[in-house]
Amino acid sequence: MLVPLQKKDFDKYIDFAYELALDPARTCYPVYYDGVKTRALFEADARKGISLPEDQILLYEEDGVMEGWLHYYYLPEDRYIAHRSCGVRRNTARALQELSEHLAARYPGCEWAVGFPSENQEALDWVKAAGFELLEDSQYYTFHFGQYIPGPEDPSVERITEENYEKFQRVHHAIEGEMYWNCQRLREDLPNWDLFVAEEDGVAGEVMALDAGDGFYSIFGVVCEDRRFHESLYRRLLVRALTEGKRKGARYLTFFEDTVEEANRIMRSLGFHHVGRYLGYHKII
């Protein structure tokens, strides 16, 4: 049974929720066992569930015992639902099925996006059986800027502004598919993004990054327009994003990378820490 969390009960269940968030086999993304995100950050995000109108926290109860904490948020303008946290101690599939029925009744026709660690097999089995489509299968990395000393800035990696946005659009349009951050949304939100492009042997590539606040910098992707891996171009774009993060005073960086072994080898050589595998799905409910 799903029960809306009452504000008066927040302190009663926050420890339980955070404990679930630290278990790869019982939680969803974003994860809190990555050595970067803290208990304080988890609690601050959780409080949005009792303070923001489009957030809701549902407690999953079974046989009188509290077994799960399901925190989602809704973006009305995009008709899009995603999670801030979602952890279930026992019977994950049953909890997700009840959540699915709740969301379908409340937000019919909306897109529901979920992401889970590869260790949470029960959740992954449920989304597949429920007809969700796989959007992303990637490796999750973190990076600590403390010991990072950037080299000279590479002038061949070009920063994207409104004036030269077409250069970025050329690359991004070729690879955006159904991703949320398409060319249009990125252009509308351009002041909040660090976008760079570069070319090599006639092939253009892009890196998307942003300052997420509180010392966090996030790389959303390093991609080439032909969807192939070009090692030198990839490294140049990745290093440019690291340099920008350092310049902005970031302490940590998070990054989801493809499963291409060459790319993951570069990540390790630059000092990234591998956290685990991420699988992202979506469905119109």
Side-chain angles (χ1 to χ4, degrees):
M1 178 175 66
L2 295 179
V3 182
L5 175 70
Q6 301 300 311
K7 190 173 183 178
K8 64 182 179 60
D9 292 327
F10 182 88
D11 291 339
K12 180 179 179 180
Y13 292 112
I14 188 64
D15 289 343
F16 166 71
Y18 185 61
E19 181 180 337
L20 291 173
L22 297 179
D23 187 344
R26 290 179 170 83
T27 192
C28 76
Y29 272 83
V31 298
Y32 284 82
Y33 52 81
D34 58 6
V36 171
K37 292 188 283 298
T38 63
R39 161 64 188 256
L41 184 61
F42 178 84
E43 185 167 333
D45 241 19
R47 287 192 178 279
K48 295 175 183 176
I50 56 173
S51 62
L52 298 182
E54 302 298 348
D55 275 55
Q56 185 178 34
I57 297 172
L58 298 171
L59 301 174
Y60 175 63
E61 182 180 317
E62 192 171 298
D63 298 328
V65 178
M66 206 58 66
E67 298 288 358
W69 164 289
L70 312 170
H71 182 180
Y72 70 86
Y73 63 94
Y74 173 57
L75 301 179
E77 64 278 14
D78 299 312
R79 294 178 56 77
Y80 179 85
I81 303 160
H83 290 273
R84 299 196 193 279
S85 56
C86 177
V88 182
R89 180 170 55 190
R90 186 166 58 96
N91 288 334
T92 297
R94 189 178 303 173
L96 290 175
Q97 182 59 38
E98 290 193 22
L99 177 61
S100 176
E101 293 167 4
H102 169 86
L103 294 176
R106 190 170 185 178
Y107 307 106
C110 293
E111 179 183 5
W112 180 18
V114 296
F116 294 101
S118 59
E119 293 89 344
N120 195 342
Q121 195 58 55
E122 187 175 355
L124 293 170
D125 288 344
W126 181 84
V127 296
K128 294 171 190 174
F132 281 71
E133 178 187 358
L134 179 65
L135 273 181
E136 183 177 348
D137 180 352
S138 58
Q139 303 296 333
Y140 174 47
Y141 286 90
T142 59
F143 183 87
H144 292 248
F145 281 98
Q147 302 301 315
Y148 180 66
I149 302 175
E153 197 167 297
D154 183 352
S156 69
V157 181
E158 187 174 359
R159 180 186 294 274
I160 295 300
T161 64
E162 186 63 43
E163 287 69 32
N164 65 352
Y165 191 78
E166 289 72 19
K167 292 185 177 182
F168 174 81
Q169 187 168 277
R170 165 191 158 190
V171 182
H172 199 64
H173 184 69
I175 58 92
E176 64 182 5
E178 297 183 34
M179 71 172 62
Y180 178 82
W181 286 111
N182 56 29
C183 289
Q184 179 182 340
R185 286 193 175 105
L186 283 167
R187 190 163 204 163
E188 292 170 351
D189 199 43
L190 189 56
N192 295 317
W193 287 86
D194 297 322
L195 307 178
F196 299 93
V197 297
E199 289 193 18
E200 187 172 283
D201 298 328
V203 177
E206 67 175 45
V207 59
M208 303 164 51
L210 58 75
D211 184 348
D214 295 323
F216 285 90
Y217 197 68
S218 184
I219 296 178
F220 275 67
V222 182
V223 190
C224 295
E225 61 183 335
D226 63 358
R227 295 179 175 270
R228 295 184 176 182
F229 180 74
H230 300 268
E231 182 169 347
S232 177
L233 181 56
Y234 181 94
R235 181 182 285 272
R236 286 162 56 206
L237 289 164
L238 184 58
V239 168
R240 182 64 185 85
L242 292 178
T243 300
E244 188 68 13
K246 182 73 172 184
R247 187 186 70 80
K248 290 189 169 182
R251 299 192 306 275
Y252 311 107
L253 178 148
T254 58
F255 183 31
F256 292 84
E257 180 47 85
D258 202 344
T259 54
V260 176
E261 176 52 33
E262 293 89 342
N264 287 279
R265 177 169 47 79
I266 291 175
M267 305 285 289
R268 293 190 293 269
S269 73
L270 290 172
F272 281 79
H273 169 66
H274 180 243
V275 178
R277 184 180 173 195
Y278 164 84
L279 294 120
Y281 291 82
H282 78 146
K283 179 183 180 180
I284 303 301
I285 57 176

